[in-house]
Amino acid sequence: MVASTNYAPPDKLALYEKVAAAIPGVERKGASNPYTSLNGHMFSRLDPSGKLALRLPADERENFVKKYKPTLFEAYGIVQREYVTVPDTLLKNTSELKSTSN
């Protein structure tokens, strides 16, 4: 576990760490801006407000949007088109969220 100076709500940070730990070979990184990456490509991040962004390929993103009805993730006033904002109810469901991250 990385020492945290993140200002994200502690409950959301704990859920994020639980999801990251459930995916084999994935390590939560970033002391103040938690994220996960694979082969040098970031695929998730938790922002200070506690919103989880998940980067998905176009076809998986389309299926995710149809199923969960999220918004695209916005950071610094810019819509991040490759990222969806994970609904809080899904963040709390580690096993289901894990299946979308594999």
Side-chain angles (χ1 to χ4, degrees):
M1 182 187 329
V2 177
S4 178
T5 58
N6 183 286
Y7 297 107
D11 60 327
K12 298 281 182 80
L13 183 58
L15 289 168
Y16 181 66
E17 290 177 340
K18 183 177 177 184
V19 171
I23 303 170
V26 170
E27 177 183 346
R28 182 225 157 186
K29 300 176 182 180
S32 59
N33 293 298
Y35 71 96
T36 57
S37 65
L38 189 60
N39 298 323
H41 299 281
M42 184 170 69
F43 69 87
S44 75
R45 67 175 287 233
L46 186 67
D47 79 2
S49 73
K51 292 181 184 174
L52 173 57
L54 189 61
R55 184 180 190 181
L56 299 170
D59 58 334
E60 290 180 34
R61 186 172 54 251
E62 184 177 318
N63 291 335
F64 188 93
V65 168
K66 284 179 184 175
K67 185 172 184 176
Y68 299 107
K69 312 286 190 252
T71 59
L72 294 179
F73 188 73
E74 186 175 328
Y76 310 107
I78 300 169
V79 174
Q80 309 289 308
R81 293 178 297 177
E82 294 181 344
Y83 289 84
V84 293
T85 302
V86 175
D88 285 346
T89 53
L90 183 56
L91 177 58
K92 293 175 184 175
N93 187 340
T94 303
S95 60
E96 187 170 351
L97 183 56
K98 176 187 171 194
S99 70
T100 67
S101 302
N102 287 335

